[in-house]
Amino acid sequence: DIVCDLVLRGWFTPKRAAIITRGYESFTLINVSPSGQDVSVNNDVVRGHRRLESGDRIEIFGQRFLFKGA
């Protein structure tokens, strides 16, 4: 299994902002931050959870990432 922890810095960044889980055939991003506005995928705000596809652009509290699913 691959494990990756990304550290986000900033005065108002929570201890945990998002979790990516792997299911049987897909990956899911879950917003666990206290903010409903600061986690997005492809510029769409994620308030609960969202399925991820390889190539999705994730932004968490201003930090940008490119998701590469297996």
Side-chain angles (χ1 to χ4, degrees):
D1 288 336
I2 297 173
V3 176
C4 176
D5 291 331
L6 301 171
V7 178
L8 303 175
R9 305 234 186 259
W11 286 100
F12 302 107
T13 304
K15 288 185 179 187
R16 288 194 174 82
I19 298 171
I20 296 175
T21 63
R22 182 178 183 175
Y24 179 68
E25 293 183 355
S26 65
F27 291 87
T28 301
L29 180 137
I30 304 166
N31 181 351
V32 294
S33 77
S35 171
Q37 298 292 323
D38 292 313
V39 178
S40 65
V41 175
N42 300 327
N43 296 318
D44 295 327
V45 173
V46 177
R47 296 189 194 283
H49 59 86
R50 175 179 170 146
R51 184 177 175 167
L52 292 173
E53 302 290 336
S54 188
D56 280 346
R57 297 177 318 277
I58 300 169
E59 185 170 338
I60 302 172
F61 284 83
Q63 300 287 323
R64 293 183 181 139
F65 310 94
L66 179 65
F67 179 74
K68 297 273 187 172

